[in-house]
Amino acid sequence: MSSSERPLAGKRGLVVDDEFLIALDLEALLQDSGADVVCEGSPEKAREALDAAGSFDFAIVDLHIGGGIDSGLSVAALLRERGIPFVFLSGMSNNDPQVTRFNVPLVEKPYRPEVLVRTVAKVLAAGG
């Protein structure tokens, strides 16, 4: 495959989503795009992965982990603190000021695979 077919080749990503099937789908999609992926289903596990697993090049964060926006935002704040570019993923459009203050793309569920990969690639190219 060419680099255009595997736009995330050589990158390491963290997926934070508490919906198991969505996390599996995201993992497969990102791996097919060339990324090495770690999936976690809770903010606590995401923090542990960030502490234990070394660095990540990007992350995809479900805004409503466990049904609460605060959980997704806590992971986003840690990613921002560590300089890791990320994308929010959500089942609803959210113009909440807490979300918009991060100034990162929000991809709505159900997502189109090519849109999500392109969005991650753009965030990586922009340096976060």
Side-chain angles (χ1 to χ4, degrees):
M1 280 189 165
S2 72
S3 62
S4 63
E5 294 170 329
R6 294 177 57 88
L8 304 179
K11 301 299 182 186
R12 188 155 189 261
L14 173 65
V15 171
V16 185
D17 197 309
D18 60 348
E19 295 181 54
F20 181 73
L21 293 178
I22 291 176
L24 280 178
D25 187 52
L26 288 167
E27 180 180 41
L29 170 65
L30 296 169
Q31 287 175 341
D32 287 347
S33 297
D36 177 34
V37 182
V38 172
C39 294
E40 297 298 349
S42 73
E44 298 77 23
K45 291 291 186 184
R47 283 190 284 278
E48 288 174 16
L50 285 163
D51 289 339
S55 66
F56 290 93
D57 297 302
F58 70 91
I60 297 174
V61 180
D62 181 4
L63 262 177
H64 297 276
I65 304 168
I69 192 170
D70 292 339
S71 296
L73 293 176
S74 70
V75 173
L78 184 57
L79 292 166
R80 173 67 43 91
E81 178 182 303
R82 296 188 181 192
I84 300 170
F86 62 95
V87 172
F88 282 128
L89 191 63
S90 179
M92 60 186 73
S93 177
N94 198 324
N95 293 322
D96 185 301
Q98 293 184 78
V99 173
T100 57
R101 75 182 164 98
F102 285 99
N103 195 31
V104 299
L106 183 143
V107 176
E108 293 182 40
K109 293 178 185 176
Y111 61 89
R112 291 191 357 231
E114 68 279 2
V115 170
L116 181 61
V117 170
R118 188 176 31 217
T119 302
V120 170
K122 283 181 183 177
V123 167
L124 281 166

